[in-house]
Amino acid sequence: VQLQASGGGLVQTGGSLELSCEVSGNSGSYYWGWFRQAPGKEREFVAVMAWNTYYADSVKGRFTVSRDSAKNTVYLQMNSLKSEDTAIYYCAASRPNSGVIYRQETYTHWGQGTQVTVSS
């Protein structure tokens, strides 16, 4: 499975951005996760599309993960962005029931990351 993340950029506080993760080479079922890593911090869970969708408390109500099967692309719609959302965002894939869905160790395939910068 290969993942290609895109859509990052510079946006003002309160703005919106949609990240895309183009998937190729996959067969069978996967969970699709999003993680982020801010400068000087560890990579953290953001959202996942598993048997249901789950979100970190810090983004709940502002971010939405979705998937377009026809385009084989997973999206992360980010609204009401805050300065603390500034980070490199990564998409990731995991086989179902491979581990705890909010732990990065569960995911076996990763995209290259896309930078999101939120300025005030």
Side-chain angles (χ1 to χ4, degrees):
V1 179
Q2 291 80 46
L3 307 174
Q4 181 76 30
S6 62
L10 176 64
V11 63
Q12 289 189 329
T13 301
S16 299
L17 210 56
E18 183 181 69
L19 304 184
S20 300
C21 180
E22 186 174 347
V23 180
S24 60
N26 59 309
S27 62
S29 299
Y30 284 86
Y31 294 164
W32 308 103
W34 286 95
F35 288 76
R36 68 185 181 186
Q37 187 167 20
K41 295 187 177 181
E42 294 186 354
R43 191 177 299 186
E44 65 175 7
F45 168 76
V46 174
V48 63
M49 175 174 282
W51 60 91
N52 206 339
T53 53
Y54 297 92
Y55 300 91
D57 288 343
S58 60
V59 307
K60 200 172 296 182
R62 300 187 297 122
F63 289 13
T64 304
V65 61
S66 63
R67 182 180 176 221
D68 186 330
S69 298
K71 295 182 178 180
N72 219 6
T73 301
V74 182
Y75 301 95
L76 183 68
Q77 177 66 42
M78 306 184 295
N79 298 327
S80 302
L81 283 162
K82 306 175 182 179
S83 57
E84 51 262 45
D85 295 319
T86 294
I88 299 173
Y89 283 71
Y90 299 88
C91 55
S94 166
R95 286 293 192 182
N97 304 313
S98 295
V100 179
I101 58 174
Y102 54 83
R103 293 181 63 90
Q104 57 178 319
E105 293 80 10
T106 299
Y107 295 81
T108 52
H109 300 86
W110 291 83
Q112 83 287 4
T114 184
Q115 175 71 49
V116 173
T117 303
V118 184
S119 67
S120 56

